[in-house]
Amino acid sequence: MKIQTEAGERHVLAITVDNEAGVLAKITGLFTARGYNIESLTVADISSDHALSRITIVTNGPPPIIDQIIAQLDRLVPVHKVTDLTDAGAHVEREIALVKVAGTGDKRIEALRLADVFRAKVVDTTITSFIFEITGASEKIDRFVALMRECGLVEVGRTGVVAIARGAEAA
Amino acid sequence: MTEMSGADMVVQALVDLGVDTVFGYPGGAVLPIYDALFKHPTIQHILVRHEQAATHAAEGYARSTGKPGVVLVTSGPGATNAVTGITDALMDSIPMVVLTGQVPTTLIGTDAFQECDTVGITRHCTKHNYLVMDPARLGPIMHEAFYIATHGRPGPVVIDIPKNVQVATGKYIVPDMIEHKSYRPQVEPDSAAIAEAVAMIAASERPVFYTGGGVINAGPDASAALRQLVALTGAPITSTLMGLGAFPCDDDKWLGMLGMHGTYESNMAMNRADLIIAVGARFDDRVTGRLDAFAPEAKKIHIDIDRSSVNKIVPVDLAIVGDAGRALDAIIAGWQTAGHKPRDLGEWWRRIDGWRATRCLDFPEKKEDAAEIMPQRAVKALYDATHAMDPIITTEVGQHQMWAAQHFGFRGPNRWLTSGGLGTMGYGFPAAVGAQIAHPGRLVICIAGEASLQMNIQEMGTVSQYRLPVKIFILNNQWMGMVRQWQELTYESRYSNSYSDSLPDFVKLADAYGWTGLRIDNFGELEDGIQTMINTPGPVIVDCRVAQLANCFPMIPSGAAHTDMILQPSDVTGTMDDEAKALV
Ligand SMILES: Cc1ncc(C[n+]2csc(CCOP(=O)(O)OP(=O)(O)O)c2C)c(N)n1
Ligand SMILES: [Mg+2]
């Protein structure tokens, strides 16, 4: 007997929640308990009184499962609002990465040249290393990191995606 | 306002919230609350013998009254013992508030004595939970917790209270608005959807109502509205295990329960219907059978308070999110305003009568005094002898539960208490304790299996202590019958560990606890034995010996379609492929 899985599509969800202990565990636990995917998750306090946080989750699943994920999130007591940015229309997605490369000679020059092409900033440097800061869509960061592997990549840290709907209105 | 201790605030909040009963068990981390409850004038504390039983008793109390059940347990093992009942309440949408003691805030995270991460452990088996770090928050949290447990889809809420928060003093604050700052379940149904539902029902030629525990949760008025709507439309009605009692069993529109052990007529009606009106039911796998063969010809309307239940398992044509009672009322109003008369459903009813003619709940038996008792007969005899007394029936989990659902009829809501979603052996007896506490004058009977009963049998002591007249009626087949049935169906009758070996002498056990114990051995003793049980004041345990190898039919094997029902033992083949074996 084989265990079957279904193909899915990628959705970016913005979730406004009470900024309280345990809320993040509740949400990630919901994803693991019900077998939903998390490709990336970011969270930070977004209100002036520290009462609310915004969680951005990139998930993947067939459309009925995406609907279920939203309904399941929506009924959690500390969840105020769930927005499917992918469904809501045009939105901006950004991610930041810090990328450390070490090397000398040609490799070092090539790393710096590529960083320039990707508009990555140098935020730290020694004689033998750089730390680049790069912002952009996840695919752009993927490509930059892949190139840096050829140029002495030591370490990479990524924030995960934050996203927001285009236009004047809140989504 | 004067200050009071956290423990006093907890008790004051319980009083303010109208709580009259707490089921619990003391321990180091809740001693301050126990002290505040000492000789309390209005709150009775029922001391159970195991914390799991406190949670099931609270469920029994809640299910039989419609009010939230309240539990008080200590930290560590007290809290972990409560987890099964908390999960049971989550699965069956039972309003419950569980207060757990916790080690002092200064020791949290140090692996202190009897520390466990209660909010962590219960995060996914509660509707919501709290760790209270400041006594000033106790008042608002207590009130909010009761609001959350009882509003929207009901469920269990845990409040974990460190011991120093119980001892510290502060102001008891009652929030002016007793609700949650953002949790607003939708109760009022959308009027456009209601209008559409009315039109769909009016246009249907083969409608069927499929109702569940949500109707019971919506209160007695919802059950009354359901009866009215069924009468107005003339449509047949079936129900899930959890929904039994919302519609009277003696009405001619009643098809019996549906699903795995449901009646032939209800499952066939679901399969051939052109419209299914689901009310407070969640298309559980026990109900749908094989999904791609579920109700293939039907449009589906789904009324549910929980939006996440809609389209979770079965995609529906019309969703109505809201309280079942209000939605039913709105449909009735819409039906009447539109001047609809019941359609002529004669052709549909003729087909249903054809399915009814299979008499799927009949069972072979010998009606001689010395003959063994068929378990179905025992339930029927119990029903005949007691239904005029309007009893509250609880069950454990197994064949006896299904036979009780099939053969005991219910005429009103809140009289049938059973563990549906989690299927918890050990639920029935403590649930009967809770129901009896809430209804001291009523006849409360736990229909038990000999195996399940032993999971919380220690509660005999609780019953003795509070002089509760609970009756336990054991369908003693000396097997974990439901397990054995599946082994016959799937594993060529290799009975791995399903025999109930080394049973206690239940009559002597009754004696040991100061109960009355009776044994019924054969057909000739059944009616008299039941009468003796009813007429004996105080708690009674009846060890009713039934046919050991009887199985529960009809049955839709896991993963089979509604039309592939096993009606007779002779239909059983004894083997299954891996796909079927992998299903629960
Ligand atoms: C706590 C728990 N453990 C295991 C099971 C699996 N299970 C379901 S029915 C059953 C047998 C029940 O036997 P008994 O109480 O004698 O009832 P019968 O089926 O014989 O009527 C078992 C073991 C369960 N439902 N709950
Ligand atoms: Mg048994």
Side-chain angles (χ1 to χ4, degrees):
Chain A
M1 195 190 89
K2 297 245 158 42
I3 293 176
Q4 297 181 350
T5 48
E6 263 181 281
E9 49 188 52
R10 178 179 180 277
H11 281 246
V12 183
L13 308 179
I15 310 158
T16 314
V17 299
D18 284 329
N19 180 17
E20 281 170 4
V23 175
L24 189 59
K26 182 121 190 145
I27 287 178
T28 54
L30 182 138
F31 276 74
T32 44
R34 295 188 183 267
Y36 307 144
N37 296 314
I38 297 182
E39 284 182 5
S40 113
L41 182 149
T42 64
V43 56
D45 173 6
I46 50 155
S47 57
S48 54
D49 57 358
H50 307 294
L52 294 178
S53 294
R54 178 164 165 133
I55 299 176
T56 310
I57 292 184
V58 181
T59 184
N60 200 301
I65 297 292
I66 301 290
D67 284 348
Q68 255 302 297
I69 293 174
I70 294 165
Q72 291 288 351
L73 286 168
D74 211 28
R75 74 180 183 140
L76 298 180
V77 173
V79 169
H80 292 237
K81 192 173 167 206
V82 186
T83 311
D84 183 346
L85 291 169
T86 306
D87 251 15
H91 63 276
V92 184
E93 278 177 40
R94 287 293 179 271
E95 190 179 351
I96 298 180
L98 295 174
V99 182
K100 183 181 285 184
V101 281
T104 50
D106 283 353
K107 277 203 170 163
R108 183 173 165 85
I109 293 164
E110 185 58 16
L112 202 58
R113 213 183 53 79
L114 286 167
D116 191 47
V117 173
F118 277 79
R119 301 196 204 297
K121 277 196 302 191
V122 177
V123 291
D124 178 75
T125 177
T126 67
I127 293 297
T128 55
S129 70
F130 290 118
I131 298 173
F132 298 117
E133 176 196 313
I134 176 168
T135 306
S138 301
E139 309 79 71
K140 169 176 163 184
I141 295 177
D142 290 345
R143 274 185 283 122
F144 182 66
V145 171
L147 288 171
M148 286 303 113
R149 284 190 208 288
E150 311 293 316
C151 306
L153 181 77
V154 176
E155 211 179 347
V156 53
R158 296 172 70 150
T159 55
V161 171
V162 289
I164 204 157
R166 288 190 187 272
E169 253 62 324
Chain B
M1 199 210 278
T2 55
E3 298 217 327
M4 56 168 107
S5 73
D8 285 332
M9 289 186 212
V10 168
V11 174
Q12 187 57 49
L14 291 176
V15 171
D16 292 348
L17 287 156
V19 173
D20 52 23
T21 308
V22 174
F23 300 91
Y25 206 93
V30 274
L31 284 177
I33 298 176
Y34 270 86
D35 194 51
L37 277 176
F38 184 62
K39 297 202 167 149
H40 195 277
T42 62
I43 297 176
Q44 64 168 338
H45 176 274
I46 303 298
L47 178 67
V48 294
R49 300 298 184 267
H50 186 295
E51 289 88 351
Q52 183 192 354
T55 55
H56 295 320
E59 289 186 272
Y61 177 97
R63 196 70 172 169
S64 66
T65 60
K67 294 195 284 183
V70 182
V71 175
L72 174 60
V73 296
T74 193
S75 64
T80 55
N81 274 349
V83 166
T84 301
I86 295 171
T87 311
D88 195 271
L90 183 73
M91 292 290 272
D92 284 345
S93 309
I94 309 291
M96 180 156 96
V97 174
V98 181
L99 308 170
T100 55
Q102 182 54 281
V103 302
T105 52
T106 47
L107 289 182
I108 287 179
T110 66
D111 301 321
F113 178 62
Q114 294 194 327
E115 179 182 4
C116 75
D117 177 10
T118 301
V119 285
I121 290 170
T122 61
R123 187 164 286 129
H124 304 295
C125 63
T126 50
K127 184 171 172 186
H128 195 49
N129 66 11
Y130 302 87
L131 171 61
V132 189
M133 299 295 276
D134 172 3
R137 292 280 300 133
L138 264 174
I141 285 177
M142 287 285 294
H143 285 265
E144 191 179 286
F146 275 76
Y147 175 86
I148 289 170
T150 52
H151 284 71
R153 181 173 177 176
V157 178
V158 165
I159 310 178
D160 197 27
I161 313 175
K163 194 170 181 184
N164 58 343
V165 174
Q166 300 170 37
V167 174
T169 53
K171 286 202 170 59
Y172 169 58
I173 301 161
V174 183
D176 332 322
M177 294 246 293
I178 299 177
E179 52 183 26
H180 187 263
K181 53 186 176 298
S182 60
Y183 178 68
R184 292 281 177 285
Q186 184 178 341
V187 287
E188 212 51 67
D190 175 66
S191 55
I194 293 290
E196 206 178 326
V198 170
M200 284 168 79
I201 299 171
S204 155
E205 289 170 359
R206 301 187 308 280
V208 58
F209 284 93
Y210 148 53
T211 62
V215 180
I216 313 252
N217 274 336
D221 290 351
S223 294
L226 180 64
R227 288 159 200 224
Q228 195 188 348
L229 184 59
V230 170
L232 283 174
T233 56
I237 170 167
T238 178
S239 152
T240 67
L241 180 72
M242 296 308 293
L244 294 177
F247 194 83
C249 63
D250 51 355
D251 191 292
D252 63 355
K253 304 287 184 301
W254 175 241
L255 302 182
M257 180 173 78
L258 85 166
M260 185 174 274
H261 291 291
T263 61
Y264 186 69
E265 49 270 34
S266 57
N267 287 327
M268 289 305 291
M270 290 291 280
N271 186 263
R272 298 289 147 79
D274 69 354
L275 178 69
I276 286 171
I277 308 122
V279 192
R282 60 184 175 87
F283 297 88
D284 177 77
D285 53 76
R286 285 292 177 274
V287 157
T288 60
R290 203 177 87 217
L291 273 175
D292 58 11
F294 174 73
E297 298 166 16
K299 285 211 156 73
K300 292 154 195 107
I301 301 174
H302 191 179
I303 301 172
D304 206 290
I305 189 109
D306 180 359
R307 175 162 82 88
S308 76
S309 286
V310 177
N311 294 329
K312 181 173 69 174
I313 312 283
V314 171
V316 297
D317 301 277
L318 177 65
I320 300 178
V321 176
D323 174 76
R326 297 202 200 186
L328 289 168
D329 285 343
I331 293 175
I332 290 169
W335 183 275
Q336 288 170 332
T337 325
H340 288 305
K341 294 278 167 286
R343 266 185 92 108
D344 175 13
L345 301 176
E347 179 50 34
W348 182 220
W349 277 109
R350 270 187 290 284
R351 290 176 74 180
I352 290 172
D353 287 339
W355 296 321
R356 279 174 164 169
T358 59
R359 304 199 48 88
C360 67
L361 295 179
D362 283 1
F363 51 93
E365 70 177 333
K366 281 211 196 79
K367 294 188 175 174
E368 293 155 16
D369 278 359
E372 62 180 3
I373 300 169
M374 293 304 287
Q376 300 91 323
R377 170 62 53 201
V379 174
K380 275 171 118 41
L382 196 62
Y383 171 69
D384 289 340
T386 62
H387 76 78
M389 303 164 77
D390 195 13
I392 296 173
I393 302 295
T394 77
T395 75
E396 299 289 349
V397 171
Q399 290 180 323
H400 63 278
Q401 176 189 31
M402 293 299 121
W403 281 317
Q406 292 174 337
H407 296 279
F408 204 102
F410 296 92
R411 292 184 165 82
N414 307 102
R415 289 150 174 86
W416 164 246
L417 321 180
T418 196
S419 171
L422 199 62
T424 310
M425 291 171 72
Y427 164 90
F429 176 30
V433 171
Q436 189 80 74
I437 293 279
H439 307 274
R442 290 273 289 275
L443 175 61
V444 179
I445 308 172
C446 169
I447 299 178
E450 81 296 332
S452 300
L453 178 62
Q454 292 181 81
M455 288 222 175
N456 271 316
I457 199 160
Q458 75 289 340
E459 295 310 309
M460 290 181 76
T462 309
V463 167
S464 302
Q465 179 176 348
Y466 298 96
R467 301 178 197 287
L468 305 173
V470 168
K471 318 294 180 200
I472 301 180
F473 192 88
I474 310 173
L475 294 185
N476 188 347
N477 54 6
Q478 296 182 51
W479 286 92
M480 296 176 197
M482 192 55 97
V483 174
R484 195 208 56 228
Q485 177 166 349
W486 279 55
Q487 289 172 335
E488 287 174 22
L489 243 61
T490 323
Y491 298 100
E492 298 165 309
S493 301
R494 287 187 293 280
Y495 295 149
S496 181
N497 293 280
S498 51
Y499 184 65
S500 283
D501 212 322
S502 305
L503 286 173
D505 179 330
F506 289 107
V507 175
K508 282 192 183 146
L509 190 66
D511 201 35
Y513 275 103
W515 292 38
T516 304
L518 301 173
R519 189 166 148 159
I520 301 178
D521 277 298
N522 51 44
F523 188 85
E525 295 169 7
L526 184 59
E527 283 180 20
D528 285 354
I530 290 173
Q531 276 312 323
T532 312
M533 176 192 86
I534 299 169
N535 295 335
T536 305
V540 181
I541 193 161
V542 180
D543 181 2
C544 181
R545 298 300 174 106
V546 296
Q548 293 197 9
L549 299 181
N551 281 338
C552 189
F553 297 106
M555 176 173 188
I556 303 173
S558 269
H562 277 173
T563 45
D564 295 336
M565 239 169 297
I566 302 178
L567 290 172
Q568 297 300 332
S570 54
D571 299 346
V572 173
T573 59
T575 50
M576 274 189 194
D577 60 17
D578 283 355
E579 299 284 341
K581 276 187 188 166
L583 293 164
V584 286

